[in-house]
Amino acid sequence: MTTVLTDAAAALRAEFSKIFTVRMWWVLLIVLAGYVGFTAGILALVFGGVGGALAGGGNAPQIPDAALPAIIYSIASSVGYVFPVLFGALATTAEFRHQTLTPTFLATPRRGLVLGAKFAVLAVVGAGYGLVALATSVGIGSSILAATGHDTGLGETDTWWLLARIVLAMAIWAVIGVGLGALIPSQVAAIVIVLAFTQFLEPILRLVATFWDWTASIGQYLPGAASDALVGSSIFTSLGMATGQTQSLDWWAGGLVLLAYAIVAGVFGYFTSWRRDVT
Amino acid sequence: MSTSTTIEITGLGKSFGPVRAVDDLTFSVRPGQVTGFLGPNGAGKTTTLRMLLGLVRPTEGTATFGGTEYRNLKDPLATVGTALEASSFHPGRSARNHLRVYARAAGIGMKRVDAVLAQVGIAAFADRRVGGYSLGMRQRLGLAFALLGDPGVLVLDEPVNGLDPEGIKWIRSFLGQLAAEGRTVLVSSHLLSEVQQSVDRVIIISHGSLVYEGGLAELESGPRVLADSPDRAALESALLAAGAEVETTAGGLAVLGLTREQVGSVALSAGAALSLLATENSGIEQAFLELVGEGGSL
Ligand SMILES: Nc1ncnc2c1ncn2[C@@H]1O[C@H](COP(=O)(O)OP(=O)(O)OP(=O)(O)O)[C@@H](O)[C@H]1O
Ligand SMILES: [Mg+2]
């Protein structure tokens, strides 16, 4: 028992140091922070009145003032979620690409333990990504809201629960990345699939799903939709409400669906590529 | 150093689909010696070593360290040190950090990392990213990884590849020293000449099967003496009369069974002036090539 625990602790330490001894983690983090901060800032300006006044008021989509802070803050996950999933996939496929599975499995022959440690470590890193993304979306968003005379929502506990769920969503997305990386060991293929699905395919599927009732009930199980359900607010769902049918899971169900994606990808990845011969 | 163990390979076989990479291989490697693991390209050396290390699943048979499979070793890196042929480094990570990652995974102290970096002579470049390393520096880093746990068994796949003459000399004496300390050292190579001077024992495989296991001396059919004379026919009949085995080659007569001095005196008493008298040392190489099929097996 104790050896299992010390082995697990050693595997976790090793996986952590793998992440922080290569530049990738902060490169992606800086891009995430910039992208989320910029988007949140633009959104706060557009909906927060300055832009509304410029556009003449009538044409801007209508979003109730009370929902505004949540929509702007949740840019951290609704737009930023692609970064933790990409990072998880890159960290995992790098092991195949650079053949570092060889020294890894030599040091830790129990391969399941290595994959489990990667899951745990990437969850922590994903949560860290979430915190940094929130620092910019909340930092910039709330400043603009306050400056334009809106409520920042930061006085309410509900807002802080929202922020906590955003961190959780980002953590699960990073773990999904690990599962995908184990399932699709080719780094290039994994990157293409992550980007094509999150940036192109899923938004279209979610839009199409709003056309009918029965598709909407399926659409809520798409990973992005489940993530938005977990967070409880998103620019996409807010706009969707105005245009068609949407259904959304409860926040906890959304979280479980998202986690299920991670686990299914990880388990399939383990039984296909992770256990294979390392030649 | 932890206690050294014997490597035991029994009935080991591996098929990659239709390719029979290793076939019914049985041999053992003892402590206190450097054992050469030889075979031409594609003979199945790397595959055998990877099966031994739990990286490739054998189709049949077992490979153990004193009866324990690699994946069941309690402290794998402290028991077996491994440097495999392929460079398994993240190019963006420094050598020091590379070793630290696996030291952490194996519960080895960080001081040991600095020690092995110095031992293999790359301490000065240890904080450079491995992507910029030369082949020889990578080989040394691979060796540093193998030494990390101060293991009693060393398994090295083509460690001489890419080393400069200085490095080759260094690794030869280093391996000898490790074996003298009582460790089990298994070194693969596709060139006999590469390990000839440093191994005590050889295991030779070809097409995945064992063709020879034993000492280098037994492998050799005895040194040959090359001799020639303007009167080659007279020299040949004198040598044959003296009981030697004589073969006519392009450069003269290849003589088996007599020393150089004996050939000289035979020539003198036969009155055949010598134009060439030399000992030929390629006896082992010749035997090796004959075992694995001349000109390689590809
Ligand atoms: N992953 C794999 N899939 C298919 N065939 C493989 C694989 N790995 C090795 N082989 C085949 O198995 C045989 C033995 O290869 P191996 O790499 O073990 O030879 P080797 O003795 O190490 O050769 P070299 O001296 O070139 O390193 C070869 O025919 C090779 O093509
Ligand atoms: Mg090889």
mmCIF file of all heavy atoms in Angstrom, chain A residues 39-59:
data_model
loop_
_atom_site.group_PDB
_atom_site.id
_atom_site.type_symbol
_atom_site.label_atom_id
_atom_site.label_comp_id
_atom_site.label_asym_id
_atom_site.label_seq_id
_atom_site.Cartn_x
_atom_site.Cartn_y
_atom_site.Cartn_z
ATOM 1 N N THR A 39 -11.017 39.430 -26.026
ATOM 2 C CA THR A 39 -12.415 39.125 -26.342
ATOM 3 C C THR A 39 -13.351 39.665 -25.266
ATOM 4 O O THR A 39 -14.395 40.258 -25.572
ATOM 5 C CB THR A 39 -12.606 37.612 -26.488
ATOM 6 O OG1 THR A 39 -11.592 37.101 -27.330
ATOM 7 C CG2 THR A 39 -13.960 37.287 -27.088
ATOM 8 N N ALA A 40 -12.991 39.460 -24.005
ATOM 9 C CA ALA A 40 -13.835 39.941 -22.906
ATOM 10 C C ALA A 40 -13.936 41.460 -22.952
ATOM 11 O O ALA A 40 -15.011 42.031 -22.726
ATOM 12 C CB ALA A 40 -13.270 39.471 -21.559
ATOM 13 N N GLY A 41 -12.812 42.118 -23.257
ATOM 14 C CA GLY A 41 -12.811 43.573 -23.324
ATOM 15 C C GLY A 41 -13.725 44.093 -24.426
ATOM 16 O O GLY A 41 -14.556 44.977 -24.200
ATOM 17 N N ILE A 42 -13.605 43.508 -25.620
ATOM 18 C CA ILE A 42 -14.452 43.915 -26.742
ATOM 19 C C ILE A 42 -15.926 43.722 -26.397
ATOM 20 O O ILE A 42 -16.774 44.590 -26.608
ATOM 21 C CB ILE A 42 -14.117 43.067 -28.005
ATOM 22 C CG1 ILE A 42 -12.696 43.369 -28.482
ATOM 23 C CG2 ILE A 42 -15.133 43.304 -29.100
ATOM 24 C CD1 ILE A 42 -12.537 44.734 -29.128
ATOM 25 N N LEU A 43 -16.212 42.545 -25.817
ATOM 26 C CA LEU A 43 -17.597 42.214 -25.476
ATOM 27 C C LEU A 43 -18.155 43.189 -24.453
ATOM 28 O O LEU A 43 -19.306 43.645 -24.569
ATOM 29 C CB LEU A 43 -17.637 40.791 -24.923
ATOM 30 C CG LEU A 43 -18.817 39.964 -25.375
ATOM 31 C CD1 LEU A 43 -18.717 39.675 -26.854
ATOM 32 C CD2 LEU A 43 -18.867 38.682 -24.568
ATOM 33 N N ALA A 44 -17.339 43.509 -23.456
ATOM 34 C CA ALA A 44 -17.784 44.450 -22.428
ATOM 35 C C ALA A 44 -18.066 45.810 -23.049
ATOM 36 O O ALA A 44 -19.038 46.480 -22.696
ATOM 37 C CB ALA A 44 -16.725 44.566 -21.339
ATOM 38 N N LEU A 45 -17.232 46.198 -24.006
ATOM 39 C CA LEU A 45 -17.451 47.482 -24.669
ATOM 40 C C LEU A 45 -18.719 47.458 -25.509
ATOM 41 O O LEU A 45 -19.522 48.373 -25.476
ATOM 42 C CB LEU A 45 -16.250 47.821 -25.563
ATOM 43 C CG LEU A 45 -14.987 48.288 -24.832
ATOM 44 C CD1 LEU A 45 -13.819 48.422 -25.809
ATOM 45 C CD2 LEU A 45 -15.248 49.622 -24.130
ATOM 46 N N VAL A 46 -18.913 46.371 -26.273
ATOM 47 C CA VAL A 46 -20.065 46.285 -27.169
ATOM 48 C C VAL A 46 -21.374 46.275 -26.376
ATOM 49 O O VAL A 46 -22.295 47.020 -26.661
ATOM 50 C CB VAL A 46 -19.971 45.035 -28.057
ATOM 51 C CG1 VAL A 46 -21.293 44.787 -28.782
ATOM 52 C CG2 VAL A 46 -18.841 45.201 -29.056
ATOM 53 N N PHE A 47 -21.419 45.399 -25.370
ATOM 54 C CA PHE A 47 -22.681 45.262 -24.644
ATOM 55 C C PHE A 47 -22.791 46.229 -23.479
ATOM 56 O O PHE A 47 -23.855 46.434 -22.925
ATOM 57 C CB PHE A 47 -22.844 43.827 -24.130
ATOM 58 C CG PHE A 47 -23.032 42.851 -25.240
ATOM 59 C CD1 PHE A 47 -22.049 41.946 -25.577
ATOM 60 C CD2 PHE A 47 -24.213 42.842 -25.973
ATOM 61 C CE1 PHE A 47 -22.221 41.050 -26.605
ATOM 62 C CE2 PHE A 47 -24.396 41.952 -27.011
ATOM 63 C CZ PHE A 47 -23.405 41.046 -27.343
ATOM 64 N N GLY A 48 -21.659 46.755 -23.081
ATOM 65 C CA GLY A 48 -21.672 47.589 -21.884
ATOM 66 C C GLY A 48 -22.064 49.033 -22.137
ATOM 67 O O GLY A 48 -21.968 49.844 -21.247
ATOM 68 N N GLY A 49 -22.479 49.377 -23.329
ATOM 69 C CA GLY A 49 -23.024 50.704 -23.518
ATOM 70 C C GLY A 49 -22.256 51.558 -24.495
ATOM 71 O O GLY A 49 -22.841 52.161 -25.378
ATOM 72 N N VAL A 50 -20.919 51.543 -24.418
ATOM 73 C CA VAL A 50 -20.156 52.391 -25.330
ATOM 74 C C VAL A 50 -20.478 52.018 -26.766
ATOM 75 O O VAL A 50 -20.891 52.842 -27.566
ATOM 76 C CB VAL A 50 -18.641 52.243 -25.079
ATOM 77 C CG1 VAL A 50 -17.853 53.068 -26.079
ATOM 78 C CG2 VAL A 50 -18.305 52.644 -23.646
ATOM 79 N N GLY A 51 -20.324 50.723 -27.024
ATOM 80 C CA GLY A 51 -20.601 50.224 -28.368
ATOM 81 C C GLY A 51 -22.073 50.388 -28.706
ATOM 82 O O GLY A 51 -22.432 50.752 -29.808
ATOM 83 N N GLY A 52 -22.938 50.126 -27.714
ATOM 84 C CA GLY A 52 -24.380 50.242 -27.927
ATOM 85 C C GLY A 52 -24.730 51.656 -28.380
ATOM 86 O O GLY A 52 -25.511 51.846 -29.300
ATOM 87 N N ALA A 53 -24.098 52.614 -27.723
ATOM 88 C CA ALA A 53 -24.367 54.002 -28.082
ATOM 89 C C ALA A 53 -23.883 54.298 -29.494
ATOM 90 O O ALA A 53 -24.566 54.945 -30.272
ATOM 91 C CB ALA A 53 -23.670 54.934 -27.087
ATOM 92 N N LEU A 54 -22.699 53.746 -29.833
ATOM 93 C CA LEU A 54 -22.151 53.964 -31.168
ATOM 94 C C LEU A 54 -23.038 53.357 -32.235
ATOM 95 O O LEU A 54 -23.248 53.920 -33.293
ATOM 96 C CB LEU A 54 -20.745 53.370 -31.280
ATOM 97 C CG LEU A 54 -19.634 54.116 -30.506
ATOM 98 C CD1 LEU A 54 -18.317 53.370 -30.628
ATOM 99 C CD2 LEU A 54 -19.513 55.556 -31.005
ATOM 100 N N ALA A 55 -23.573 52.129 -31.934
ATOM 101 C CA ALA A 55 -24.379 51.425 -32.920
ATOM 102 C C ALA A 55 -25.793 51.974 -32.988
ATOM 103 O O ALA A 55 -26.613 51.480 -33.736
ATOM 104 C CB ALA A 55 -24.404 49.937 -32.593
ATOM 105 N N GLY A 56 -26.072 52.979 -32.194
ATOM 106 C CA GLY A 56 -27.404 53.551 -32.216
ATOM 107 C C GLY A 56 -28.365 52.783 -31.332
ATOM 108 O O GLY A 56 -29.564 53.015 -31.337
ATOM 109 N N GLY A 57 -27.907 51.873 -30.578
ATOM 110 C CA GLY A 57 -28.714 51.181 -29.569
ATOM 111 C C GLY A 57 -29.544 50.054 -30.116
ATOM 112 O O GLY A 57 -29.497 48.932 -29.627
ATOM 113 N N GLY A 58 -30.289 50.275 -31.186
ATOM 114 C CA GLY A 58 -31.303 49.324 -31.639
ATOM 115 C C GLY A 58 -30.772 48.020 -32.201
ATOM 116 O O GLY A 58 -31.401 46.979 -32.041
ATOM 117 N N ASN A 59 -29.601 48.044 -32.850
ATOM 118 C CA ASN A 59 -29.149 46.856 -33.566
ATOM 119 C C ASN A 59 -28.395 45.851 -32.705
ATOM 120 O O ASN A 59 -28.298 44.687 -33.074
ATOM 121 C CB ASN A 59 -28.226 47.265 -34.727
ATOM 122 C CG ASN A 59 -29.022 47.996 -35.794
ATOM 123 O OD1 ASN A 59 -30.238 47.801 -35.894
ATOM 124 N ND2 ASN A 59 -28.372 48.850 -36.551
#
